[in-house]
Amino acid sequence: MNRLLFSASAGALAMALGAAPAFAQELPGSFDGVTIDAKLIGGQQYEALYARIAEWEEATGAKVNVISKKNHFELDKEIKSDIATGSIGWCVGSNHSSFAPQYPGIYTDLAALLPQEEIDAFVPANIKASTLDGRLVMLPRAQFDVSALYYQKSLYEDEEKKAEFKEKYGYDLAPPDTWQEVADQAKFFANPPDFYGTQYAGKEEAINGRFYEMLVAEGGEYLDADGRPAFNSEAGVRALQWFVDLYEAKAVPAGTTNYLWDDLGQGFASGTVAINLDWPGWAGFFNDPESSKVAGDVGVKVQPKGSSGVRTGWSGHHGFSVTESCADKEAAASLVWFLTNEDSQKLEAAAGPLPTRTAVWEWVVAEAEGDAYRQEVLTAFQQAAEHAFPVPQTASWIEISNAVYPELQAAILGDKSAEQALDDAAEKATEILEDAGEL
């Protein structure tokens, strides 16, 4: 663990600027008798990190009371409820680069609470994306997210399947490099209700984000140069129709419109899905025989490209924030630092997630030597990261997602045409942006 002294000159500068007191001692510090209430993202892939909280408690004398542990969509609703009722009495919250712009003012500037040397140790792009209006509102964890394609390798080694596919589609069966190939192969492999070609998260921001990146891959844009919804376009229809066609063909599970990330992870690990676009955090889980039926049979490659030649690449990163209302900001900042320090990032990155500290990237590359699967994962996600792009830069992104996703679902379920669903979604999104004063 790194233990860095915050220099007296930096501390004096922070005090002169009227910032909250910075650490005057080595991290993680001493906070006997302090209890930090925390709201954390929940999910199997995050539990190994949370086990480290006990180490921080032992080192500092403080305690952590986890008062909520939910997926980010549910956590977002809870935080908004707290804001509306003025009940932000907790100190530490999970955050995400896609969600953070919604919460202006509730999170404190971590740059005033942590040594600059520690902040400089992060990948600059991640720190930039964590900084809003000049304030570092969250510290990135080893959960930089961009999706690559996982697949069952044995399916592509079956000579009978290869011959059958070539006869039906006219090209060789190989791990797909385009979304049209994914669609072809998903339909080919599907044998419902026992086996499915692929799957997708079908509600909340999850389906809106997947639609967004498919839209970009089809040559479209979500918001135009003036910030107006532009996804109800020919490219938008092509993008949405991709989801619709797979659902109609029963190439995806019938319940996919209710799926979120944990459902996808468990689904691929169950051995009943051929191809799965998913996040790096699942890489270790998928190849662990104790958690996955496809362990030893997992291939990973860069995400496919759309008809425009552009690859999908919706991305973001997780982090932790400290509330302005926290009575013990120094202790809370220490906890946030501990959960994102080098040891914590190595722990998370060892299972597949991409780190956000420069030194841990170097460590991951060195650790992958001699491990064919980890090298394959690292190569795939390094390539995937080259095509990464963030969500549209609007504070209304999540609110727009909440209005758009039911329209996307309506098209997938056959209640509306893709054109009608997108026109209705664009109208709702425009109203949201107008109400927010963004148009």
Side-chain angles (χ1 to χ4, degrees):
M1 179 191 307
N2 287 337
R3 292 177 175 271
L4 302 175
L5 280 171
F6 195 36
S7 70
S9 59
L13 176 60
M15 293 296 288
L17 294 174
F23 284 102
Q25 56 194 352
E26 292 183 346
L27 287 166
S30 178
F31 305 103
D32 289 333
V34 171
T35 297
I36 297 297
D37 288 339
K39 294 195 172 190
L40 305 178
I41 183 173
Q44 178 276 335
Q45 66 268 44
Y46 309 122
E47 290 304 317
L49 176 64
Y50 298 157
R52 291 205 74 210
I53 291 175
E55 297 178 42
W56 180 81
E57 291 176 326
E58 183 177 356
T60 63
K63 295 294 181 184
V64 177
N65 177 34
V66 179
I67 59 177
S68 186
K69 191 183 286 187
K70 301 177 178 177
N71 67 52
H72 253 145
F73 307 111
E74 294 302 317
L75 201 59
D76 174 60
K77 295 172 185 174
E78 188 172 297
I79 291 171
K80 286 174 179 172
S81 176
D82 290 345
I83 293 172
T85 59
S87 54
I88 305 177
W90 41 277
C91 279
V92 169
S94 285
N95 208 342
H96 191 282
S97 55
S98 294
F99 288 77
Q102 301 177 103
Y103 314 127
I106 76 164
Y107 292 127
T108 199
D109 184 4
L110 291 168
L113 293 166
L114 293 171
Q116 186 61 43
E117 296 94 325
E118 281 296 287
I119 297 170
D120 291 343
F122 288 85
V123 175
N126 292 125
I127 289 297
K128 181 178 179 181
S130 301
T131 302
L132 301 176
D133 297 326
R135 298 164 62 248
L136 181 62
V137 298
M138 67 173 171
L139 212 57
R141 65 188 288 181
Q143 290 283 345
F144 171 66
D145 280 339
V146 63
S147 294
L149 205 68
Y150 296 91
Y151 59 92
Q152 291 193 37
K153 292 190 294 185
S154 58
L155 294 173
Y156 295 89
E157 298 165 356
D158 186 312
E159 294 300 327
E160 185 176 336
K161 279 183 169 39
K162 287 161 73 171
E164 183 183 347
F165 183 87
K166 180 68 174 287
E167 182 178 355
K168 184 172 183 178
Y169 290 95
Y171 64 92
D172 291 332
L173 178 63
D177 195 52
T178 70
W179 284 108
Q180 181 58 55
E181 291 173 359
V182 172
D184 291 345
Q185 294 177 20
K187 294 171 185 176
F188 174 75
F189 288 130
N191 183 29
D194 301 316
F195 195 82
Y196 295 95
T198 190
Q199 57 183 351
Y200 49 81
K203 66 178 184 178
E204 308 282 0
E205 185 216 19
I207 183 60
N208 190 41
R210 288 294 187 225
F211 164 73
Y212 161 58
E213 64 179 342
M214 191 69 78
L215 169 72
V216 172
E218 287 299 312
E221 56 183 355
Y222 200 91
L223 301 180
D224 65 19
D226 296 321
R228 291 189 172 278
F231 51 75
N232 55 332
S233 60
E234 291 183 5
V237 171
R238 289 197 302 273
L240 180 51
Q241 198 63 43
W242 185 90
F243 298 92
V244 174
D245 289 347
L246 287 176
Y247 188 84
E248 289 180 346
K250 295 182 170 55
V252 298
T256 198
T257 50
N258 288 314
Y259 282 9
L260 288 174
W261 309 126
D262 282 356
D263 303 295
L264 301 187
Q266 296 294 341
F268 185 71
S270 74
T272 62
V273 176
I275 308 165
N276 182 47
L277 182 73
D278 221 327
W279 310 107
W282 289 104
F285 184 84
F286 290 153
N287 209 43
D288 182 348
E290 294 188 4
S291 58
S292 174
K293 292 182 179 179
V294 294
D297 191 31
V298 182
V300 196
K301 66 169 295 182
V302 67
Q303 67 273 34
K305 53 191 173 185
S307 65
S308 72
V310 173
R311 296 187 187 276
T312 53
W314 168 39
S315 69
H317 67 270
H318 294 238
F320 296 102
S321 300
V322 174
T323 61
E324 283 283 17
S325 59
C326 179
D328 297 285
K329 289 187 179 67
E330 292 82 3
S334 171
L335 174 61
V336 165
W337 164 81
F338 189 85
L339 292 175
T340 60
N341 69 10
E342 283 196 28
D343 287 344
S344 290
Q345 293 225 354
K346 287 177 179 178
L347 174 67
E348 292 206 277
L354 306 183
T356 54
R357 280 178 174 261
T358 304
V360 182
W361 263 110
E362 297 167 356
W363 175 86
V364 166
V365 172
E367 285 291 301
E369 292 183 11
D371 186 326
Y373 177 70
R374 288 190 66 188
Q375 286 183 320
E376 183 176 356
V377 168
L378 185 59
T379 297
F381 280 102
Q382 282 181 318
Q383 292 174 349
E386 293 176 4
H387 304 282
F389 48 84
V391 301
Q393 295 304 293
T394 168
S396 300
W397 167 249
I398 295 299
E399 189 176 356
I400 288 173
S401 291
N402 291 339
V404 168
Y405 88 78
E407 298 297 336
L408 303 179
Q409 287 181 327
I412 291 167
L413 296 172
D415 297 330
K416 293 184 180 182
S417 68
E419 294 90 340
Q420 187 61 57
L422 292 178
D423 283 343
D424 292 347
E427 184 177 345
K428 291 179 179 179
T430 300
E431 291 175 359
I432 289 169
L433 290 166
E434 288 175 344
D435 289 345
E438 297 187 57
L439 290 179

